[in-house]
mmCIF file of all heavy atoms in Angstrom:
data_model
loop_
_atom_site.group_PDB
_atom_site.id
_atom_site.type_symbol
_atom_site.label_atom_id
_atom_site.label_comp_id
_atom_site.label_asym_id
_atom_site.label_seq_id
_atom_site.Cartn_x
_atom_site.Cartn_y
_atom_site.Cartn_z
ATOM 1 N N ASP A 245 7.088 30.303 48.800
ATOM 2 C CA ASP A 245 7.833 29.325 47.812
ATOM 3 C C ASP A 245 6.966 28.154 47.583
ATOM 4 O O ASP A 245 7.390 27.239 46.837
ATOM 5 C CB ASP A 245 9.086 28.956 48.454
ATOM 6 C CG ASP A 245 8.928 28.207 49.750
ATOM 7 O OD1 ASP A 245 8.003 28.511 50.518
ATOM 8 O OD2 ASP A 245 9.784 27.426 50.177
ATOM 9 N N ARG A 246 5.772 27.963 48.227
ATOM 10 C CA ARG A 246 4.907 26.878 47.901
ATOM 11 C C ARG A 246 3.420 27.299 47.521
ATOM 12 O O ARG A 246 2.487 26.433 47.609
ATOM 13 C CB ARG A 246 4.786 26.007 49.248
ATOM 14 C CG ARG A 246 6.137 25.344 49.536
ATOM 15 C CD ARG A 246 6.457 24.216 48.490
ATOM 16 N NE ARG A 246 7.606 23.507 48.894
ATOM 17 C CZ ARG A 246 8.848 23.882 48.542
ATOM 18 N NH1 ARG A 246 9.035 25.046 47.823
ATOM 19 N NH2 ARG A 246 9.931 23.165 48.972
ATOM 20 N N VAL A 247 3.180 28.486 47.111
ATOM 21 C CA VAL A 247 1.949 28.956 46.672
ATOM 22 C C VAL A 247 1.993 29.502 45.247
ATOM 23 O O VAL A 247 2.936 30.341 44.905
ATOM 24 C CB VAL A 247 1.417 30.029 47.612
ATOM 25 C CG1 VAL A 247 -0.060 30.580 47.112
ATOM 26 C CG2 VAL A 247 1.277 29.519 49.067
ATOM 27 N N VAL A 248 1.116 29.069 44.391
ATOM 28 C CA VAL A 248 0.958 29.597 43.064
ATOM 29 C C VAL A 248 -0.388 30.173 42.888
ATOM 30 O O VAL A 248 -1.411 29.525 43.267
ATOM 31 C CB VAL A 248 1.213 28.461 41.950
ATOM 32 C CG1 VAL A 248 0.885 29.005 40.561
ATOM 33 C CG2 VAL A 248 2.570 27.863 42.110
ATOM 34 N N TYR A 249 -0.558 31.373 42.453
ATOM 35 C CA TYR A 249 -1.809 32.149 42.235
ATOM 36 C C TYR A 249 -2.022 32.577 40.851
ATOM 37 O O TYR A 249 -1.147 33.153 40.242
ATOM 38 C CB TYR A 249 -1.864 33.364 43.212
ATOM 39 C CG TYR A 249 -2.988 34.260 42.983
ATOM 40 C CD1 TYR A 249 -4.296 33.805 43.135
ATOM 41 C CD2 TYR A 249 -2.754 35.570 42.465
ATOM 42 C CE1 TYR A 249 -5.362 34.615 42.941
ATOM 43 C CE2 TYR A 249 -3.897 36.341 42.196
ATOM 44 C CZ TYR A 249 -5.114 35.931 42.371
ATOM 45 O OH TYR A 249 -6.201 36.718 42.161
ATOM 46 N N PHE A 250 -3.266 32.248 40.401
ATOM 47 C CA PHE A 250 -3.668 32.694 39.083
ATOM 48 C C PHE A 250 -5.015 33.543 39.174
ATOM 49 O O PHE A 250 -5.913 33.138 39.995
ATOM 50 C CB PHE A 250 -3.849 31.550 38.069
ATOM 51 C CG PHE A 250 -2.648 30.672 37.764
ATOM 52 C CD1 PHE A 250 -2.486 29.501 38.259
ATOM 53 C CD2 PHE A 250 -1.660 31.285 36.910
ATOM 54 C CE1 PHE A 250 -1.275 28.824 37.976
ATOM 55 C CE2 PHE A 250 -0.469 30.584 36.598
ATOM 56 C CZ PHE A 250 -0.279 29.226 37.058
ATOM 57 N N ARG A 251 -5.188 34.416 38.293
ATOM 58 C CA ARG A 251 -6.385 35.130 38.127
ATOM 59 C C ARG A 251 -7.325 34.153 37.493
ATOM 60 O O ARG A 251 -6.949 33.090 37.019
ATOM 61 C CB ARG A 251 -6.269 36.342 37.261
ATOM 62 C CG ARG A 251 -5.525 37.548 37.839
ATOM 63 C CD ARG A 251 -6.296 38.198 39.089
ATOM 64 N NE ARG A 251 -7.611 38.645 38.589
ATOM 65 C CZ ARG A 251 -7.941 39.666 37.954
ATOM 66 N NH1 ARG A 251 -6.938 40.472 37.562
ATOM 67 N NH2 ARG A 251 -9.091 39.968 37.675
ATOM 68 N N PRO A 252 -8.667 34.434 37.482
ATOM 69 C CA PRO A 252 -9.628 33.402 36.846
ATOM 70 C C PRO A 252 -9.126 33.011 35.497
ATOM 71 O O PRO A 252 -8.728 33.814 34.680
ATOM 72 C CB PRO A 252 -10.939 34.221 36.821
ATOM 73 C CG PRO A 252 -10.826 35.196 37.918
ATOM 74 C CD PRO A 252 -9.362 35.575 37.947
ATOM 75 N N ILE A 253 -9.402 31.706 35.203
ATOM 76 C CA ILE A 253 -8.927 31.145 33.883
ATOM 77 C C ILE A 253 -10.188 30.992 32.974
ATOM 78 O O ILE A 253 -11.391 30.916 33.557
ATOM 79 C CB ILE A 253 -8.299 29.826 34.016
ATOM 80 C CG1 ILE A 253 -9.187 28.769 34.701
ATOM 81 C CG2 ILE A 253 -6.923 29.967 34.774
ATOM 82 C CD1 ILE A 253 -8.550 27.409 34.733
ATOM 83 N N PRO A 254 -10.034 30.986 31.619
ATOM 84 C CA PRO A 254 -11.201 30.820 30.780
ATOM 85 C C PRO A 254 -12.009 29.531 31.068
ATOM 86 O O PRO A 254 -11.481 28.550 31.509
ATOM 87 C CB PRO A 254 -10.614 30.667 29.407
ATOM 88 C CG PRO A 254 -9.307 31.448 29.538
ATOM 89 C CD PRO A 254 -8.768 31.162 30.840
ATOM 90 N N PHE A 255 -13.316 29.665 30.883
ATOM 91 C CA PHE A 255 -14.252 28.612 31.232
ATOM 92 C C PHE A 255 -13.724 27.306 30.601
ATOM 93 O O PHE A 255 -13.813 26.223 31.251
ATOM 94 C CB PHE A 255 -15.600 28.786 30.743
ATOM 95 C CG PHE A 255 -16.252 30.117 31.353
ATOM 96 C CD1 PHE A 255 -16.476 31.266 30.555
ATOM 97 C CD2 PHE A 255 -16.794 30.091 32.596
ATOM 98 C CE1 PHE A 255 -17.045 32.414 31.018
ATOM 99 C CE2 PHE A 255 -17.289 31.221 33.150
ATOM 100 C CZ PHE A 255 -17.371 32.404 32.433
ATOM 101 N N GLU A 256 -13.375 27.209 29.254
ATOM 102 C CA GLU A 256 -12.969 26.023 28.566
ATOM 103 C C GLU A 256 -11.632 25.398 29.151
ATOM 104 O O GLU A 256 -11.381 24.272 28.683
ATOM 105 C CB GLU A 256 -12.922 26.262 27.156
ATOM 106 C CG GLU A 256 -11.817 27.011 26.618
ATOM 107 C CD GLU A 256 -12.055 28.573 26.790
ATOM 108 O OE1 GLU A 256 -13.122 29.025 27.256
ATOM 109 O OE2 GLU A 256 -11.307 29.242 26.051
ATOM 110 N N LYS A 257 -10.949 26.187 30.001
ATOM 111 C CA LYS A 257 -9.655 25.633 30.525
ATOM 112 C C LYS A 257 -9.801 25.006 31.872
ATOM 113 O O LYS A 257 -8.773 24.417 32.494
ATOM 114 C CB LYS A 257 -8.625 26.823 30.609
ATOM 115 C CG LYS A 257 -8.357 27.447 29.236
ATOM 116 C CD LYS A 257 -7.673 26.506 28.308
ATOM 117 C CE LYS A 257 -7.234 27.223 27.022
ATOM 118 N NZ LYS A 257 -6.683 26.243 26.042
ATOM 119 N N VAL A 258 -10.896 24.990 32.435
ATOM 120 C CA VAL A 258 -11.113 24.492 33.819
ATOM 121 C C VAL A 258 -10.810 23.042 33.801
ATOM 122 O O VAL A 258 -10.161 22.414 34.700
ATOM 123 C CB VAL A 258 -12.532 24.814 34.264
ATOM 124 C CG1 VAL A 258 -12.811 24.006 35.650
ATOM 125 C CG2 VAL A 258 -12.725 26.271 34.537
ATOM 126 N N ASP A 259 -11.374 22.202 32.862
ATOM 127 C CA ASP A 259 -11.061 20.742 32.785
ATOM 128 C C ASP A 259 -9.542 20.527 32.677
ATOM 129 O O ASP A 259 -9.055 19.486 33.036
ATOM 130 C CB ASP A 259 -11.900 20.098 31.775
ATOM 131 C CG ASP A 259 -13.269 19.882 32.188
ATOM 132 O OD1 ASP A 259 -13.599 20.040 33.348
ATOM 133 O OD2 ASP A 259 -14.191 19.415 31.406
ATOM 134 N N VAL A 260 -8.919 21.318 31.755
ATOM 135 C CA VAL A 260 -7.523 21.216 31.571
ATOM 136 C C VAL A 260 -6.756 21.265 32.934
ATOM 137 O O VAL A 260 -5.848 20.509 33.201
ATOM 138 C CB VAL A 260 -7.038 22.228 30.569
ATOM 139 C CG1 VAL A 260 -5.424 22.093 30.374
ATOM 140 C CG2 VAL A 260 -7.775 22.052 29.243
ATOM 141 N N LEU A 261 -7.158 22.267 33.597
ATOM 142 C CA LEU A 261 -6.543 22.512 34.933
ATOM 143 C C LEU A 261 -6.738 21.284 35.931
ATOM 144 O O LEU A 261 -5.812 20.702 36.513
ATOM 145 C CB LEU A 261 -7.076 23.756 35.729
ATOM 146 C CG LEU A 261 -6.666 23.920 37.120
ATOM 147 C CD1 LEU A 261 -5.245 24.424 37.205
ATOM 148 C CD2 LEU A 261 -7.560 25.019 37.819
ATOM 149 N N PHE A 262 -7.974 20.721 35.992
ATOM 150 C CA PHE A 262 -8.263 19.681 36.888
ATOM 151 C C PHE A 262 -7.680 18.440 36.336
ATOM 152 O O PHE A 262 -7.261 17.480 37.101
ATOM 153 C CB PHE A 262 -9.774 19.563 37.087
ATOM 154 C CG PHE A 262 -10.409 20.515 38.045
ATOM 155 C CD1 PHE A 262 -11.455 21.167 37.777
ATOM 156 C CD2 PHE A 262 -9.826 20.730 39.191
ATOM 157 C CE1 PHE A 262 -12.061 22.173 38.632
ATOM 158 C CE2 PHE A 262 -10.274 21.596 40.140
ATOM 159 C CZ PHE A 262 -11.433 22.356 39.789
ATOM 160 N N THR A 263 -7.459 18.247 35.075
ATOM 161 C CA THR A 263 -6.732 17.105 34.490
ATOM 162 C C THR A 263 -5.292 17.098 34.995
ATOM 163 O O THR A 263 -4.780 16.037 35.370
ATOM 164 C CB THR A 263 -6.886 17.014 32.992
ATOM 165 O OG1 THR A 263 -8.191 16.859 32.628
ATOM 166 C CG2 THR A 263 -6.119 15.860 32.392
ATOM 167 N N ALA A 264 -4.705 18.253 34.952
ATOM 168 C CA ALA A 264 -3.344 18.418 35.468
ATOM 169 C C ALA A 264 -3.285 18.073 36.955
ATOM 170 O O ALA A 264 -2.340 17.372 37.481
ATOM 171 C CB ALA A 264 -2.782 19.797 35.200
ATOM 172 N N VAL A 265 -4.326 18.614 37.707
ATOM 173 C CA VAL A 265 -4.271 18.435 39.220
ATOM 174 C C VAL A 265 -4.338 16.834 39.479
ATOM 175 O O VAL A 265 -3.604 16.339 40.282
ATOM 176 C CB VAL A 265 -5.438 19.088 39.854
ATOM 177 C CG1 VAL A 265 -5.651 18.679 41.283
ATOM 178 C CG2 VAL A 265 -5.175 20.605 39.797
ATOM 179 N N LYS A 266 -5.243 16.141 38.736
ATOM 180 C CA LYS A 266 -5.387 14.686 38.918
ATOM 181 C C LYS A 266 -4.083 13.942 38.456
ATOM 182 O O LYS A 266 -3.675 13.004 39.243
ATOM 183 C CB LYS A 266 -6.488 14.276 38.016
ATOM 184 C CG LYS A 266 -6.731 12.613 38.022
ATOM 185 C CD LYS A 266 -6.936 12.044 39.380
ATOM 186 C CE LYS A 266 -7.321 10.627 39.347
ATOM 187 N NZ LYS A 266 -6.094 9.810 38.771
ATOM 188 N N LEU A 267 -3.487 14.353 37.478
ATOM 189 C CA LEU A 267 -2.187 13.783 37.027
ATOM 190 C C LEU A 267 -1.122 13.819 38.177
ATOM 191 O O LEU A 267 -0.293 12.878 38.203
ATOM 192 C CB LEU A 267 -1.726 14.435 35.714
ATOM 193 C CG LEU A 267 -0.518 13.827 34.980
ATOM 194 C CD1 LEU A 267 -0.875 12.459 34.537
ATOM 195 C CD2 LEU A 267 -0.025 14.670 33.954
ATOM 196 N N HIS A 268 -1.207 14.910 38.944
ATOM 197 C CA HIS A 268 -0.245 15.047 40.002
ATOM 198 C C HIS A 268 -0.673 14.560 41.366
ATOM 199 O O HIS A 268 -0.149 14.948 42.427
ATOM 200 C CB HIS A 268 0.249 16.583 40.081
ATOM 201 C CG HIS A 268 0.959 16.970 38.791
ATOM 202 N ND1 HIS A 268 0.323 17.278 37.682
ATOM 203 C CD2 HIS A 268 2.359 17.106 38.601
ATOM 204 C CE1 HIS A 268 1.216 17.569 36.738
ATOM 205 N NE2 HIS A 268 2.446 17.535 37.255
ATOM 206 N N ASN A 269 -1.782 13.844 41.410
ATOM 207 C CA ASN A 269 -2.366 13.322 42.586
ATOM 208 C C ASN A 269 -2.783 14.429 43.652
ATOM 209 O O ASN A 269 -2.584 14.350 44.800
ATOM 210 C CB ASN A 269 -1.439 12.287 43.326
ATOM 211 C CG ASN A 269 -1.205 10.979 42.602
ATOM 212 O OD1 ASN A 269 -2.078 10.677 41.716
ATOM 213 N ND2 ASN A 269 -0.269 10.373 43.054
ATOM 214 N N GLY A 270 -3.441 15.479 42.954
ATOM 215 C CA GLY A 270 -3.754 16.626 43.776
ATOM 216 C C GLY A 270 -5.148 16.485 44.405
ATOM 217 O O GLY A 270 -5.910 15.540 44.012
ATOM 218 N N ILE A 271 -5.512 17.460 45.160
ATOM 219 C CA ILE A 271 -6.755 17.463 46.013
ATOM 220 C C ILE A 271 -7.370 18.830 45.875
ATOM 221 O O ILE A 271 -6.665 19.865 46.021
ATOM 222 C CB ILE A 271 -6.465 17.072 47.478
ATOM 223 C CG1 ILE A 271 -5.850 15.721 47.575
ATOM 224 C CG2 ILE A 271 -7.844 17.055 48.245
ATOM 225 C CD1 ILE A 271 -5.342 15.400 48.978
ATOM 226 N N PHE A 272 -8.740 18.924 45.582
ATOM 227 C CA PHE A 272 -9.433 20.164 45.648
ATOM 228 C C PHE A 272 -9.872 20.374 47.073
ATOM 229 O O PHE A 272 -10.506 19.399 47.637
ATOM 230 C CB PHE A 272 -10.541 20.079 44.687
ATOM 231 C CG PHE A 272 -11.477 21.346 44.577
ATOM 232 C CD1 PHE A 272 -11.139 22.360 43.851
ATOM 233 C CD2 PHE A 272 -12.553 21.367 45.534
ATOM 234 C CE1 PHE A 272 -12.003 23.543 43.865
ATOM 235 C CE2 PHE A 272 -13.316 22.554 45.616
ATOM 236 C CZ PHE A 272 -12.982 23.600 44.717
#
Side-chain angles (χ1 to χ4, degrees):
D245 60 333
R246 291 293 183 272
V247 178
V248 176
Y249 168 64
F250 294 108
R251 293 290 306 281
I253 60 176
F255 299 106
E256 70 275 7
K257 299 297 185 183
V258 172
D259 280 353
V260 177
L261 173 71
F262 283 130
T263 298
V265 170
K266 173 61 173 64
L267 186 67
H268 294 78
N269 290 347
I271 301 168
F272 177 90

